[in-house]
Amino acid sequence: MGNHSAVNTFLLWGFSSFPNVQNLLFVVIFSSHVTILLANVSIMVAIKFSPNLHTPMYFFLFGLSFSETCTTMVIIPRMLVDLLSKSKTISLPECATQMFFFFGLAANNCFIMAAMSYDRYTAIHNPLHYPILMTIKICFQLMMASWVVGFLISLCITIIIFNLSFCDSNNIQHFFCDISPVVHLACDYTSHEAMAIFVLSAFVLVGSFILIMISYVFIVSLVVKMPSSKGRYKAFSTCSSHLTVVSIHYGFACFVYLRPKNSDSFHEDMLMAVTYTVLTPLLNPIVYSLRNKEMQIALRKVVGSVIKFFSYLTNKKNLNNLKKTTTH
């Protein structure tokens, strides 16, 4: 892979365009990162320790939260280091690794959301047979298929890109090794590679989106036939959180990855990518917790348990200090 290339390192030049606000960006992105981790970990803990949430819908939500957390860990820590560092270099293998994991996890998110839409359709279409149709085994198989397909496609894209020759500029006009800014540095990037990358990206984004839309067409056709307005409201409310997350996720992702590219669009893509990598993982847990009473109750229990734990530690520390004072 590196034998074909005269360039061994890249410069992540994205935030160098904003030298006066890098400290502010660091504070904002660091705060967002901590919030993303706390929010997603809280959701995972709430699902793990709440028996009433041990259902297929929350199994997929657990998987999505875990995948979103991993996605941010691939991008944001490196972004924070670069904001404070004068040297923003990244080696070719590091760049390839970052791209592989980022796109693999992003693709995985898409396929998990497709699995969640199928789960919602099954729950509404066949509520009596739902526990038989969506067993833990089937949910696990769907989750594993999302991970395997996502990372296989990512591997194909990464191999295509890093088999190109990089022999001119090594300045990546981005804050991480995203597909478009990297391939535009290649000397031998042709329409064949461009078409292959586009087809693979479209398979992930458009393919999973079509599966989601098919599920929701069937869901809507079932819901409008329900005799009671209460039943229709309940059915739609179970899908509202998922639809909101899908709209946010696919809106940003399609804008960044499926529209035609030129060198002038990199700054727009970079700003959209900040939103995509920071805002979307932050909004997912907020949407699910605000629009879901079961999740709100489970999260309150988690927060309550954490407060009790820290109160216990504080009281224990105070008691030990009191004993030491009495002894002396």
Side-chain angles (χ1 to χ4, degrees), residues 6-28:
V7 173
N8 294 318
T9 59
F10 291 118
L11 291 173
L12 294 169
W13 211 244
F15 288 125
S16 299
S17 307
F18 316 102
N20 298 325
V21 293
Q22 292 204 17
N23 289 335
L24 176 63
L25 280 170
F26 178 87
V27 172
V28 171

Side-chain angles (χ1 to χ4, degrees), residues 29-73:
I29 293 170
F30 178 76
S31 303
S32 301
H33 185 48
V34 172
T35 308
I36 288 166
L37 294 178
L38 288 173
N40 280 293
V41 169
S42 296
I43 280 184
M44 288 188 280
V45 171
I47 292 169
K48 176 69 177 175
F49 293 102
S50 301
N52 61 312
L53 300 184
H54 291 176
T55 63
M57 183 176 82
Y58 292 107
F59 176 81
F60 289 122
L61 179 55
F62 183 100
L64 184 62
S65 292
F66 178 74
S67 185
E68 289 280 18
T69 303
C70 292
T71 306
T72 60
M73 291 300 293

Side-chain angles (χ1 to χ4, degrees), residues 137-159:
K137 183 181 177 181
I138 291 170
C139 292
F140 185 77
Q141 287 171 345
L142 287 169
M143 185 73 77
M144 285 299 100
S146 299
W147 282 84
V148 171
V149 174
F151 276 99
L152 277 176
I153 292 170
S154 180
L155 182 63
C156 292
I157 290 174
T158 307
I159 289 171

